[in-house]
Amino acid sequence: MDLLDLKTSLKAIDNSSLVDRVEEKLVDYLIENNFKAGDSIPKEIELANSLGVSRTVIREALSRLRMIGLVETKKKKGAVLANPDLMAVLEKSLIPKALDEDTLRDLFEFRLVLEIGMADLIMARVTKEDIDELKTIVAVEPDLSQDLAFNIEHETRFHGKLYEITGNETMKKFQKLLLPLFDYVHRSGLLGKPVSKNKYVSHKGIVHTIEHGSAEMLRNAMRNHLENHFARLF
Amino acid sequence: MDLLDLKTSLKAIDNSSLVDRVEEKLVDYLIENNFKAGDSIPKEIELANSLGVSRTVIREALSRLRMIGLVETKKKKGAVLANPDLMAVLEKSLIPKALDEDTLRDLFEFRLVLEIGMADLIMARVTKEDIDELKTIVAVEPDLSQDLAFNIEHETRFHGKLYEITGNETMKKFQKLLLPLFDYVHRSGLLGKPVSKNKYVSHKGIVHTIEHGSAEMLRNAMRNHLENHFARLF
DNA sequence: AAATCTAAACATGTAATACATAAAAACATG
DNA sequence: CATGTTTTTATGTATTACATGTTTAGATTT
C-alpha cells in the first residue's frame, strides 16, 4: 500500500464535533419530516433528551441554523422553520480579505457572466417606465475625467437598474453583494493588466438597444460594453 | 404621522440577541484588524473578558463563524481565520421545501442566465481535450423516449462539463447546488406551462458551435437550446 | 359579560462552573 | 537522539442556576 492509498483509506476518521453532527441531524430531521416554513420545532429540552446530548450542544446547533435564517426563535414560543435568505448568508462570508484569490477572480467573472446572460430577462420584462428611468440615469453620464467615486456611483446606479428590470430579486441581491468585491478585485493587483481606457458600447448605447433591439443584440452590446473587464481576464 | 411613518420610526428597536451582536463584533474586529486567512484569533476566555460576556456567548458566536467556514478551531491551538467556502454555506440553506416560491423561480432563472452568459469563458478557455470529451458525452445522447433518470444524468454530465471548461470553480459548485433545485422546480407546479417537446439546438449542435463557432454564436446556441425552459417563464 | 390588570407558567437567553479531550510542549528514559 | 511519559493549555461537552420576555389563565373592575 503506497502513501496515497494509505492517506485516502485513513481519511475516513470522523473529525466532526458533536455540534456538527447534531446540526446535521436537525436539518435531516426537518427535511424528512416534511417541515415547511412556519412549522414549529420541538423545544430545546426535548431535542436534548431525544438526541441524548446537553442543551448546550442543541443551542449551539440551533444558533447556527438561526444564523443562516433556517429557523427563527421566540421566547416561550420556541423555534419555527423559516425561509432562509440565501443572500444574507452569503454576505456574512463575503469578506474580501478572507477569500483566496481564485475565489475572488471567480466572483469577478461571475458578474460579467450574469450581466450578459440576463439580456433575455431584461428584454422580456422591461417596461416603458424602466426605459424612461434608464434614460434619466444616462442623461448625466459622467466622462472619464470626472471624479472616480462619482463614476462608480453612476455605474452602480445604471447596472443596478438593469438587475432590477429582470425582476429577479435573488440576482439583484447577489449583485449588491458583488459590488464591493468587484471594486476590491479591481484595485488589487489580482488581474494582471490595467484596465484600458478604450470606449466601447456606452450606457446610452445599451439603453438604445433595450428600447429598439432584441435580446440577442443586447447580449452582444453588453459583451462589448464589458470588454474592458474581459480584456483583463484573457 | 401616518401608519407607515410610525412603522418605520419604531422599527429601530434592537431585537437582536447578545450572540448576534457578539458575532457581528467579532467579524468587525477581524476585518478592522486586517486579519488574513491563517491568522490566529484570541482565545475564548480573552474574548469573553474583553467583551464582557460569558464564554457561552463567545462560543455560540464562534460556532456560527465556524459553520460558515470563516474560522477553524483546533484544540489547544485556538481559532484561526480561514477561507470561507461560499458555496458550502449556501448549500446549507438551499432546502427546496424551506424556500419560498419566488426564490425558487429566481434560482431557476439564475441557471439559465449563467449558461448563456458563460459562453465567452468557454470559448476563451476550451481545449482540444475538452472538445473530445464533449464529443464522447454526446455520442451516447439519449432520445426523449428513454428513461427519464438517464436523461437527467446525461443532461447533468453535459452541462457540468461546460461549467468545468469555464475554469470557474465557484460557478461550477454553484451549478452543482442548483441541480437538485432545478429539478425540484421542474416537477413542482411552480412554472405554469409544461415543458414542450420541441427540439431546438441539441447538445451536438452546441459542441459543434464550440469547436467551429464564436462566443456570440455559442450564446445564441445556448439560448436556443434552453428555449423549452425559457418558454415556461415568459 | 366584556375589558383590563395581575400573576403564574414556560421556553429561550445568558452566566458560571466543572470536567473531558486533544494537542502541544516540556521532560524523562533507554 | 529517538521514543515514551507527564504536564499544560485551550477547546468541547455537561450541568445548574437564574434572567427575560410571552403566553395563558385567573382575578378584578366596569
Side-chain angles (χ1 to χ4, degrees), chain A residues 178-195:
Chain A
L178 246 45
L179 275 176
L181 248 141
F182 199 78
D183 202 46
Y184 177 85
V185 175
H186 235 309
R187 301 166 192 279
S188 77
L190 204 67
L191 301 175
K193 316 161 206 161
V195 61

Side-chain angles (χ1 to χ4, degrees), chain A residues 118 122 126-127 129-135 137 155-167 172 175:
Chain A
M118 71 188 186
I122 290 177
V126 68
T127 67
E129 290 72 42
D130 290 329
I131 290 179
D132 288 343
E133 195 176 331
L134 284 174
K135 283 179 177 170
I137 294 175
E155 276 285 319
T156 304
R157 193 136 34 101
F158 181 77
H159 287 268
K161 177 63 188 171
L162 293 184
Y163 280 87
E164 196 182 311
I165 293 173
T166 66
K172 185 159 177 11
Q175 181 247 4

Side-chain angles (χ1 to χ4, degrees), chain A residues 6-7 9 41 50 57 63 65 102 105 116 127 139 183 190 213 222 225 234:
Chain A
L6 184 68
K7 208 171 176 181
S9 77
I41 296 168
S50 66
V57 169
S63 184
L65 300 186
D102 288 336
R105 182 171 336 177
I116 290 175
T127 67
D183 202 46
L190 204 67
M222 281 302 291
H225 173 67
F234 304 141

Side-chain angles (χ1 to χ4, degrees), chain B residues 141-144 151 196-203 224 228:
Chain B
E141 193 154 84
D143 57 43
L144 290 176
N151 268 283
S196 98
K197 297 278 184 182
N198 292 339
K199 271 285 191 183
Y200 292 92
V201 172
S202 65
H203 286 171
N224 190 291
N228 280 334

